[in-house]
Amino acid sequence: MADKEAFLSHIQTGYTFKGERFKLGCAMLNGDVVSGADVYLPLKTMNRHGLIAGATGTGKTKTLQVIAEGLSDASVPVLLMDIKGDLSGVAAAGTNSDRIKERYEKIDGSWSPSGYPVELLSLSNEKGARLRATVSEFGPILLSRILELNDTQEGLVAMIFKYCDDSQLPLLDLKDFKKVLQYVSDEGKAELEKDYGKISTTSAGTVLRKVIALEQQGADKFFGEASFEVDDLLRISDDGRGVISIVRVADIQDKPKLFSTFMLSLLAELYATLPEEGDMDKPKLVLFIDEAHLVFQEASSALLQQIETIIKLIRSKGVGIFFCTQNPMDVPPSILGQLGMKVQHALRAFTANDRKTIKQTAENYPLSDFYKTDELLTQIGIGEALFTCLNEKGIPTPLAATMLVTPRSRMDILSAAEMDALVNSSKIAKKYNQEIDNESAYEILTAKLQEAAEKSAPAAKTAGGKKQPEEKSILDTVLSSPIAKQVGRTATTMITRSLLGALGLGGKSSKKSSSWF
């Protein structure tokens, strides 16, 4: 009993917040829920980022759903990366069940169903408003990072962007960039080298091949117009709740480079667009990345460094980022160290490597007098998790094995008809789903090359394509001689005069008339 009272006091003291908060669940001791040991999540520190981890089937997605609902209720917009395609149910109200009733009896709460304001977004052919960015907006540095270029190749890309800026050649999509790359390697090489320096044909060829490889992963659908505006991720619904934007990327699980491209572009755009906010009472936007290992899979050290830098800096813009993955070791240590909130679902120990991972994971959590963390990680059930976050002073809260609340929205996907209805009622789908192909570098250079080809054609025909004149016949020679021409002119003059005289138009001005012949 003493341990239980001490534990209750320990949790209540650690999870007392002055600012706005919402309930995540109720703490457990020795496998039993301790009444009154409520675990809360403070909105003030939600921009300090976080991690949701655990083995398959332990409830990670539902935890993500619960936190997204709590943020929406607090008027905080949310962006979800839906890799598995199972988050669309947030838009529909859930259904009560005996399991939900039993859980809420244990955690001293009440449950009511609710659907949430949802906007479906897409990078590909999935249903929803299309997400795009122009190559110019992506910029030479990010493009070089995603293409994994060396210093020489990166310098070439920077030179191309500078040339296009100076020459008013808009880089909107990948075909624009490829066209310029081909142009500066061939017809326009001399023009470019005169003002910008030497160009390595080998480097240009390498960059082109890497662009084509990126294009094969579907990036040609991402780069283009109309560019998605960050403000459309920060919307509040008519009833005051934050809009939950769901990016449906289930069809690009096997295209990690495209996913990394989009994520890096989005983070960079958020950082560049949003003003500095400092410490806010609640974040402006919270981003959840499900199956986060796809962001880091096949990522170069330069790309990881870029992501790490943005994650460190974007906090001051009022943006929180949460990674959701099976193994916490999927997240690089440099980034893992930036995550203030951690929700750890159960891990499974099937191999020696699994046991090593569990031991390392346990060491990432605050020490506790009430738990043996490494043992508890394999014992907690579905819908339960170890939890710690930062309090309003930036100090980690006590570790709490927590029975989590359940989502109020549907814990399943929307039907095709429901998705169609959601997209049709969208306020932004028509804005972004219209195909736009404005005049850009591709069209301008194509026209320029065509004009040059047309001008050079007559000259080439004169120089090399003109047929040699055939030998003249005797009659041609005689007729073309100066004497023959003079005789012809004289005869013509006489005939003309005779005709004019017969018509009554002749006269004394025969000399003047003859001067025209």
Side-chain angles (χ1 to χ4, degrees), residues 120-137:
L120 296 180
L121 308 175
S122 172
L123 283 174
S124 55
N125 294 322
E126 293 278 359
K127 295 176 182 178
R130 287 288 299 276
L131 289 168
R132 295 187 185 89
T134 65
V135 174
S136 293
E137 291 168 336

mmCIF file with all atom_site columns, all heavy atoms in Angstrom, residues 120-137:
data_model
loop_
_atom_site.group_PDB
_atom_site.id
_atom_site.type_symbol
_atom_site.label_atom_id
_atom_site.label_alt_id
_atom_site.label_comp_id
_atom_site.label_asym_id
_atom_site.label_entity_id
_atom_site.label_seq_id
_atom_site.pdbx_PDB_ins_code
_atom_site.Cartn_x
_atom_site.Cartn_y
_atom_site.Cartn_z
_atom_site.occupancy
_atom_site.B_iso_or_equiv
_atom_site.pdbx_formal_charge
_atom_site.auth_seq_id
_atom_site.auth_comp_id
_atom_site.auth_asym_id
_atom_site.auth_atom_id
_atom_site.pdbx_PDB_model_num
ATOM 1   N N   . LEU A 1 120 ? -7.707  15.052 -47.016 1.00 0.00 ? 120 LEU A N   1
ATOM 2   C CA  . LEU A 1 120 ? -6.874  14.024 -47.630 1.00 0.00 ? 120 LEU A CA  1
ATOM 3   C C   . LEU A 1 120 ? -5.930  14.659 -48.638 1.00 0.00 ? 120 LEU A C   1
ATOM 4   O O   . LEU A 1 120 ? -6.350  15.454 -49.488 1.00 0.00 ? 120 LEU A O   1
ATOM 5   C CB  . LEU A 1 120 ? -7.735  12.962 -48.315 1.00 0.00 ? 120 LEU A CB  1
ATOM 6   C CG  . LEU A 1 120 ? -8.658  12.132 -47.422 1.00 0.00 ? 120 LEU A CG  1
ATOM 7   C CD1 . LEU A 1 120 ? -9.443  11.124 -48.261 1.00 0.00 ? 120 LEU A CD1 1
ATOM 8   C CD2 . LEU A 1 120 ? -7.872  11.405 -46.330 1.00 0.00 ? 120 LEU A CD2 1
ATOM 9   N N   . LEU A 1 121 ? -4.651  14.308 -48.553 1.00 0.00 ? 121 LEU A N   1
ATOM 10  C CA  . LEU A 1 121 ? -3.636  14.820 -49.463 1.00 0.00 ? 121 LEU A CA  1
ATOM 11  C C   . LEU A 1 121 ? -2.926  13.643 -50.124 1.00 0.00 ? 121 LEU A C   1
ATOM 12  O O   . LEU A 1 121 ? -2.936  12.530 -49.600 1.00 0.00 ? 121 LEU A O   1
ATOM 13  C CB  . LEU A 1 121 ? -2.613  15.680 -48.707 1.00 0.00 ? 121 LEU A CB  1
ATOM 14  C CG  . LEU A 1 121 ? -3.167  16.806 -47.831 1.00 0.00 ? 121 LEU A CG  1
ATOM 15  C CD1 . LEU A 1 121 ? -2.045  17.485 -47.062 1.00 0.00 ? 121 LEU A CD1 1
ATOM 16  C CD2 . LEU A 1 121 ? -3.918  17.830 -48.671 1.00 0.00 ? 121 LEU A CD2 1
ATOM 17  N N   . SER A 1 122 ? -2.287  13.888 -51.274 1.00 0.00 ? 122 SER A N   1
ATOM 18  C CA  . SER A 1 122 ? -1.650  12.800 -52.003 1.00 0.00 ? 122 SER A CA  1
ATOM 19  C C   . SER A 1 122 ? -0.397  13.281 -52.727 1.00 0.00 ? 122 SER A C   1
ATOM 20  O O   . SER A 1 122 ? -0.339  14.422 -53.190 1.00 0.00 ? 122 SER A O   1
ATOM 21  C CB  . SER A 1 122 ? -2.622  12.199 -53.022 1.00 0.00 ? 122 SER A CB  1
ATOM 22  O OG  . SER A 1 122 ? -1.969  11.275 -53.864 1.00 0.00 ? 122 SER A OG  1
ATOM 23  N N   . LEU A 1 123 ? 0.604   12.390 -52.801 1.00 0.00 ? 123 LEU A N   1
ATOM 24  C CA  . LEU A 1 123 ? 1.808   12.656 -53.590 1.00 0.00 ? 123 LEU A CA  1
ATOM 25  C C   . LEU A 1 123 ? 1.733   12.012 -54.963 1.00 0.00 ? 123 LEU A C   1
ATOM 26  O O   . LEU A 1 123 ? 2.552   12.285 -55.827 1.00 0.00 ? 123 LEU A O   1
ATOM 27  C CB  . LEU A 1 123 ? 3.042   12.095 -52.866 1.00 0.00 ? 123 LEU A CB  1
ATOM 28  C CG  . LEU A 1 123 ? 3.584   12.877 -51.682 1.00 0.00 ? 123 LEU A CG  1
ATOM 29  C CD1 . LEU A 1 123 ? 4.699   12.098 -51.017 1.00 0.00 ? 123 LEU A CD1 1
ATOM 30  C CD2 . LEU A 1 123 ? 4.068   14.242 -52.108 1.00 0.00 ? 123 LEU A CD2 1
ATOM 31  N N   . SER A 1 124 ? 0.779   11.107 -55.129 1.00 0.00 ? 124 SER A N   1
ATOM 32  C CA  . SER A 1 124 ? 0.724   10.318 -56.360 1.00 0.00 ? 124 SER A CA  1
ATOM 33  C C   . SER A 1 124 ? -0.705  10.278 -56.883 1.00 0.00 ? 124 SER A C   1
ATOM 34  O O   . SER A 1 124 ? -1.346  11.314 -56.994 1.00 0.00 ? 124 SER A O   1
ATOM 35  C CB  . SER A 1 124 ? 1.266   8.917  -56.089 1.00 0.00 ? 124 SER A CB  1
ATOM 36  O OG  . SER A 1 124 ? 0.569   8.308  -55.007 1.00 0.00 ? 124 SER A OG  1
ATOM 37  N N   . ASN A 1 125 ? -1.195  9.082  -57.154 1.00 0.00 ? 125 ASN A N   1
ATOM 38  C CA  . ASN A 1 125 ? -2.540  8.951  -57.714 1.00 0.00 ? 125 ASN A CA  1
ATOM 39  C C   . ASN A 1 125 ? -3.585  8.589  -56.659 1.00 0.00 ? 125 ASN A C   1
ATOM 40  O O   . ASN A 1 125 ? -4.716  8.258  -57.006 1.00 0.00 ? 125 ASN A O   1
ATOM 41  C CB  . ASN A 1 125 ? -2.538  7.895  -58.822 1.00 0.00 ? 125 ASN A CB  1
ATOM 42  C CG  . ASN A 1 125 ? -1.703  8.321  -60.015 1.00 0.00 ? 125 ASN A CG  1
ATOM 43  O OD1 . ASN A 1 125 ? -1.693  9.493  -60.382 1.00 0.00 ? 125 ASN A OD1 1
ATOM 44  N ND2 . ASN A 1 125 ? -0.992  7.383  -60.614 1.00 0.00 ? 125 ASN A ND2 1
ATOM 45  N N   . GLU A 1 126 ? -3.192  8.613  -55.388 1.00 0.00 ? 126 GLU A N   1
ATOM 46  C CA  . GLU A 1 126 ? -4.156  8.369  -54.319 1.00 0.00 ? 126 GLU A CA  1
ATOM 47  C C   . GLU A 1 126 ? -5.188  9.500  -54.284 1.00 0.00 ? 126 GLU A C   1
ATOM 48  O O   . GLU A 1 126 ? -4.938  10.612 -54.750 1.00 0.00 ? 126 GLU A O   1
ATOM 49  C CB  . GLU A 1 126 ? -3.429  8.278  -52.969 1.00 0.00 ? 126 GLU A CB  1
ATOM 50  C CG  . GLU A 1 126 ? -2.525  7.062  -52.822 1.00 0.00 ? 126 GLU A CG  1
ATOM 51  C CD  . GLU A 1 126 ? -3.299  5.826  -52.416 1.00 0.00 ? 126 GLU A CD  1
ATOM 52  O OE1 . GLU A 1 126 ? -4.530  5.914  -52.239 1.00 0.00 ? 126 GLU A OE1 1
ATOM 53  O OE2 . GLU A 1 126 ? -2.670  4.762  -52.274 1.00 0.00 ? 126 GLU A OE2 1
ATOM 54  N N   . LYS A 1 127 ? -6.343  9.226  -53.702 1.00 0.00 ? 127 LYS A N   1
ATOM 55  C CA  . LYS A 1 127 ? -7.393  10.240 -53.623 1.00 0.00 ? 127 LYS A CA  1
ATOM 56  C C   . LYS A 1 127 ? -6.993  11.345 -52.648 1.00 0.00 ? 127 LYS A C   1
ATOM 57  O O   . LYS A 1 127 ? -6.506  11.076 -51.567 1.00 0.00 ? 127 LYS A O   1
ATOM 58  C CB  . LYS A 1 127 ? -8.706  9.594  -53.170 1.00 0.00 ? 127 LYS A CB  1
ATOM 59  C CG  . LYS A 1 127 ? -9.264  8.578  -54.163 1.00 0.00 ? 127 LYS A CG  1
ATOM 60  C CD  . LYS A 1 127 ? -10.508 7.904  -53.627 1.00 0.00 ? 127 LYS A CD  1
ATOM 61  C CE  . LYS A 1 127 ? -11.025 6.858  -54.621 1.00 0.00 ? 127 LYS A CE  1
ATOM 62  N NZ  . LYS A 1 127 ? -12.212 6.141  -54.113 1.00 0.00 ? 127 LYS A NZ  1
ATOM 63  N N   . GLY A 1 128 ? -7.216  12.570 -53.078 1.00 0.00 ? 128 GLY A N   1
ATOM 64  C CA  . GLY A 1 128 ? -6.902  13.708 -52.220 1.00 0.00 ? 128 GLY A CA  1
ATOM 65  C C   . GLY A 1 128 ? -6.277  14.844 -53.004 1.00 0.00 ? 128 GLY A C   1
ATOM 66  O O   . GLY A 1 128 ? -5.968  14.727 -54.200 1.00 0.00 ? 128 GLY A O   1
ATOM 67  N N   . ALA A 1 129 ? -6.092  15.980 -52.333 1.00 0.00 ? 129 ALA A N   1
ATOM 68  C CA  . ALA A 1 129 ? -5.457  17.143 -52.956 1.00 0.00 ? 129 ALA A CA  1
ATOM 69  C C   . ALA A 1 129 ? -3.989  16.843 -53.209 1.00 0.00 ? 129 ALA A C   1
ATOM 70  O O   . ALA A 1 129 ? -3.293  16.319 -52.345 1.00 0.00 ? 129 ALA A O   1
ATOM 71  C CB  . ALA A 1 129 ? -5.606  18.362 -52.043 1.00 0.00 ? 129 ALA A CB  1
ATOM 72  N N   . ARG A 1 130 ? -3.510  17.180 -54.406 1.00 0.00 ? 130 ARG A N   1
ATOM 73  C CA  . ARG A 1 130 ? -2.146  16.846 -54.806 1.00 0.00 ? 130 ARG A CA  1
ATOM 74  C C   . ARG A 1 130 ? -1.124  17.778 -54.152 1.00 0.00 ? 130 ARG A C   1
ATOM 75  O O   . ARG A 1 130 ? -1.295  18.998 -54.129 1.00 0.00 ? 130 ARG A O   1
ATOM 76  C CB  . ARG A 1 130 ? -2.008  16.925 -56.324 1.00 0.00 ? 130 ARG A CB  1
ATOM 77  C CG  . ARG A 1 130 ? -2.672  15.794 -57.075 1.00 0.00 ? 130 ARG A CG  1
ATOM 78  C CD  . ARG A 1 130 ? -1.928  14.497 -56.909 1.00 0.00 ? 130 ARG A CD  1
ATOM 79  N NE  . ARG A 1 130 ? -0.573  14.604 -57.417 1.00 0.00 ? 130 ARG A NE  1
ATOM 80  C CZ  . ARG A 1 130 ? -0.245  14.439 -58.691 1.00 0.00 ? 130 ARG A CZ  1
ATOM 81  N NH1 . ARG A 1 130 ? -1.185  14.163 -59.597 1.00 0.00 ? 130 ARG A NH1 1
ATOM 82  N NH2 . ARG A 1 130 ? 1.003   14.540 -59.077 1.00 0.00 ? 130 ARG A NH2 1
ATOM 83  N N   . LEU A 1 131 ? -0.058  17.181 -53.642 1.00 0.00 ? 131 LEU A N   1
ATOM 84  C CA  . LEU A 1 131 ? 1.059   17.936 -53.074 1.00 0.00 ? 131 LEU A CA  1
ATOM 85  C C   . LEU A 1 131 ? 2.155   18.054 -54.124 1.00 0.00 ? 131 LEU A C   1
ATOM 86  O O   . LEU A 1 131 ? 2.631   17.050 -54.643 1.00 0.00 ? 131 LEU A O   1
ATOM 87  C CB  . LEU A 1 131 ? 1.609   17.222 -51.841 1.00 0.00 ? 131 LEU A CB  1
ATOM 88  C CG  . LEU A 1 131 ? 0.737   17.233 -50.588 1.00 0.00 ? 131 LEU A CG  1
ATOM 89  C CD1 . LEU A 1 131 ? 1.282   16.256 -49.573 1.00 0.00 ? 131 LEU A CD1 1
ATOM 90  C CD2 . LEU A 1 131 ? 0.674   18.628 -49.989 1.00 0.00 ? 131 LEU A CD2 1
ATOM 91  N N   . ARG A 1 132 ? 2.553   19.281 -54.430 1.00 0.00 ? 132 ARG A N   1
ATOM 92  C CA  . ARG A 1 132 ? 3.612   19.503 -55.414 1.00 0.00 ? 132 ARG A CA  1
ATOM 93  C C   . ARG A 1 132 ? 4.529   20.632 -54.945 1.00 0.00 ? 132 ARG A C   1
ATOM 94  O O   . ARG A 1 132 ? 4.154   21.458 -54.112 1.00 0.00 ? 132 ARG A O   1
ATOM 95  C CB  . ARG A 1 132 ? 3.031   19.893 -56.778 1.00 0.00 ? 132 ARG A CB  1
ATOM 96  C CG  . ARG A 1 132 ? 2.207   18.834 -57.481 1.00 0.00 ? 132 ARG A CG  1
ATOM 97  C CD  . ARG A 1 132 ? 1.860   19.318 -58.885 1.00 0.00 ? 132 ARG A CD  1
ATOM 98  N NE  . ARG A 1 132 ? 0.971   18.425 -59.593 1.00 0.00 ? 132 ARG A NE  1
ATOM 99  C CZ  . ARG A 1 132 ? -0.361  18.484 -59.550 1.00 0.00 ? 132 ARG A CZ  1
ATOM 100 N NH1 . ARG A 1 132 ? -0.939  19.410 -58.812 1.00 0.00 ? 132 ARG A NH1 1
ATOM 101 N NH2 . ARG A 1 132 ? -1.097  17.639 -60.242 1.00 0.00 ? 132 ARG A NH2 1
ATOM 102 N N   . ALA A 1 133 ? 5.719   20.647 -55.526 1.00 0.00 ? 133 ALA A N   1
ATOM 103 C CA  . ALA A 1 133 ? 6.660   21.750 -55.340 1.00 0.00 ? 133 ALA A CA  1
ATOM 104 C C   . ALA A 1 133 ? 7.435   21.905 -56.636 1.00 0.00 ? 133 ALA A C   1
ATOM 105 O O   . ALA A 1 133 ? 7.691   20.924 -57.336 1.00 0.00 ? 133 ALA A O   1
ATOM 106 C CB  . ALA A 1 133 ? 7.617   21.464 -54.185 1.00 0.00 ? 133 ALA A CB  1
ATOM 107 N N   . THR A 1 134 ? 7.799   23.135 -56.992 1.00 0.00 ? 134 THR A N   1
ATOM 108 C CA  . THR A 1 134 ? 8.583   23.346 -58.195 1.00 0.00 ? 134 THR A CA  1
ATOM 109 C C   . THR A 1 134 ? 10.058  23.072 -57.899 1.00 0.00 ? 134 THR A C   1
ATOM 110 O O   . THR A 1 134 ? 10.500  23.119 -56.752 1.00 0.00 ? 134 THR A O   1
ATOM 111 C CB  . THR A 1 134 ? 8.429   24.780 -58.724 1.00 0.00 ? 134 THR A CB  1
ATOM 112 O OG1 . THR A 1 134 ? 8.992   25.697 -57.770 1.00 0.00 ? 134 THR A OG1 1
ATOM 113 C CG2 . THR A 1 134 ? 6.970   25.126 -58.951 1.00 0.00 ? 134 THR A CG2 1
ATOM 114 N N   . VAL A 1 135 ? 10.819  22.786 -58.948 1.00 0.00 ? 135 VAL A N   1
ATOM 115 C CA  . VAL A 1 135 ? 12.254  22.548 -58.789 1.00 0.00 ? 135 VAL A CA  1
ATOM 116 C C   . VAL A 1 135 ? 12.934  23.800 -58.235 1.00 0.00 ? 135 VAL A C   1
ATOM 117 O O   . VAL A 1 135 ? 13.829  23.712 -57.386 1.00 0.00 ? 135 VAL A O   1
ATOM 118 C CB  . VAL A 1 135 ? 12.882  22.138 -60.136 1.00 0.00 ? 135 VAL A CB  1
ATOM 119 C CG1 . VAL A 1 135 ? 14.397  22.021 -60.017 1.00 0.00 ? 135 VAL A CG1 1
ATOM 120 C CG2 . VAL A 1 135 ? 12.294  20.821 -60.620 1.00 0.00 ? 135 VAL A CG2 1
ATOM 121 N N   . SER A 1 136 ? 12.494  24.977 -58.692 1.00 0.00 ? 136 SER A N   1
ATOM 122 C CA  . SER A 1 136 ? 13.071  26.233 -58.198 1.00 0.00 ? 136 SER A CA  1
ATOM 123 C C   . SER A 1 136 ? 12.865  26.379 -56.694 1.00 0.00 ? 136 SER A C   1
ATOM 124 O O   . SER A 1 136 ? 13.768  26.820 -55.975 1.00 0.00 ? 136 SER A O   1
ATOM 125 C CB  . SER A 1 136 ? 12.452  27.428 -58.925 1.00 0.00 ? 136 SER A CB  1
ATOM 126 O OG  . SER A 1 136 ? 12.827  27.434 -60.284 1.00 0.00 ? 136 SER A OG  1
ATOM 127 N N   . GLU A 1 137 ? 11.679  26.029 -56.208 1.00 0.00 ? 137 GLU A N   1
ATOM 128 C CA  . GLU A 1 137 ? 11.401  26.113 -54.779 1.00 0.00 ? 137 GLU A CA  1
ATOM 129 C C   . GLU A 1 137 ? 12.244  25.109 -53.994 1.00 0.00 ? 137 GLU A C   1
ATOM 130 O O   . GLU A 1 137 ? 12.658  25.384 -52.868 1.00 0.00 ? 137 GLU A O   1
ATOM 131 C CB  . GLU A 1 137 ? 9.920   25.862 -54.515 1.00 0.00 ? 137 GLU A CB  1
ATOM 132 C CG  . GLU A 1 137 ? 9.013   26.968 -55.003 1.00 0.00 ? 137 GLU A CG  1
ATOM 133 C CD  . GLU A 1 137 ? 7.542   26.567 -54.989 1.00 0.00 ? 137 GLU A CD  1
ATOM 134 O OE1 . GLU A 1 137 ? 7.242   25.365 -55.043 1.00 0.00 ? 137 GLU A OE1 1
ATOM 135 O OE2 . GLU A 1 137 ? 6.700   27.481 -54.927 1.00 0.00 ? 137 GLU A OE2 1
#
